[in-house]
Amino acid sequence: MRSSFDLPGVFEALPFPRAVNGSLWSVPLEVHWYLILLAMAVVGLMRYRWLVAAAALGSSIYHFGVYHVETNKPQKINESGLILRTGVCLYLLRTL
């Protein structure tokens, strides 16, 4: 039996009718960054909230200042990591 990924008539009214499971591209990136977060927690770096905040700030400066996101080819791994690092920092610094 041959697999078929077409669902005729099901998504025709959507803005992107052929995009079924369009968000699955981000799963490998999320796993990558969650493994890094797990490694940081195992090593004990998550105990030092200001160190995590400084690392996130440094990577943000790199992303927007040094990397020149406007002129270089976009890298999804940097962009998704930037969002995750910002969320982690906001969570860690929520009580301050």
Side-chain angles (χ1 to χ4, degrees):
M1 178 179 221
R2 190 172 174 185
S3 296
S4 175
F5 297 103
D6 293 327
L7 300 170
V10 177
F11 297 107
E12 289 178 359
L14 295 178
F16 301 102
R18 299 194 47 86
V20 180
N21 294 330
S23 62
L24 290 178
W25 67 268
S26 67
V27 172
L29 298 175
E30 292 174 27
V31 169
H32 171 85
W33 285 108
Y34 282 120
L35 288 174
I36 289 174
L37 187 62
L38 176 66
M40 289 175 63
V42 167
V43 173
L45 293 177
M46 298 305 284
R47 283 186 239 144
Y48 306 105
R49 295 186 289 184
W50 290 106
L51 179 63
V52 173
L57 180 63
S59 65
S60 297
I61 290 170
Y62 169 77
H63 183 76
F64 291 110
V66 177
Y67 175 67
H68 300 292
V69 73
E70 294 84 15
T71 58
N72 289 344
K73 182 178 176 184
Q75 293 180 349
K76 294 290 183 191
I77 197 161
N78 285 340
E79 293 169 2
S80 65
L82 182 65
I83 294 167
L84 181 87
R85 291 187 303 266
T86 302
V88 168
C89 282
L90 290 174
Y91 178 78
L92 290 175
L93 300 175
R94 74 191 181 283
T95 59
L96 297 178

